[in-house]
Amino acid sequence: MSRIVDKPYFTYSAYTALTSGIQVKCPKCRGLGMVTADRDTAFFRCHSCGHQETSDRTVYRYDVHNQCKRCGRFYRVDIEDEAKQHFSVLHVACPYCGAAMPGEVHRTAQAFSYAAEIREGKEPWFGLELWFLTSFQGKPVWAVNREHLAYLIDYLSADLREKPFGIPGKTQADHLPTFMKTAKNRERIVKLLKKMQEG
């Protein structure tokens, strides 16, 4: 009888890019590439053609703050329109009296982008397709990297699945959709995963 002790919840997710990386298809040559990230920046590098990309993970806030020439009050107006955020000066209306006047656009680092989910088989920073991606009855089945793929095979093949000792709450298996955990599907999904592992 095979048994597996599950992993903590965020072991294999988009956060994996911060440690071991996410394996993806290169947008130029369709070869194997890797997405990694640090606190500020996400990086992509293709192992086949050498193509590289970077993406800033910082979320910026854009605003014009000024003193109104008509009513004398200080104000700040947030600039939500992305098309206007690249201007250095914008005419904005004073929120108190409505007088329009030019003001300098300020860019402030507000936070880091953690809205990082794998969606439709694509990683979140560059929108690149995962290397380990297939489908089962029209639903995507994927792994972020080879280590994650091995975990899925071990987890779905095991006769006994246990929660890790001393870790309350959710585990890695809670990420798995119900169709993957359903007993009647497990064997066929494991075959698909093993085919990806060999490929």
Side-chain angles (χ1 to χ4, degrees), residues 94-109:
C94 168
Y96 301 107
C97 72
M101 71 200 77
E104 189 181 335
V105 176
H106 297 272
R107 183 177 90 151
T108 314

Side-chain angles (χ1 to χ4, degrees), residues 104-145:
E104 189 181 335
V105 176
H106 297 272
R107 183 177 90 151
T108 314
Q110 195 173 344
F112 295 102
S113 167
Y114 286 109
E117 292 283 323
I118 306 284
R119 291 190 203 285
E120 294 163 19
K122 294 183 176 178
E123 56 75 38
W125 292 293
F126 303 99
L128 299 175
E129 190 179 298
L130 297 177
W131 184 256
F132 297 112
L133 175 65
T134 187
S135 68
F136 177 78
Q137 296 177 346
K139 297 178 179 112
V141 174
W142 51 265
V144 294
N145 56 28

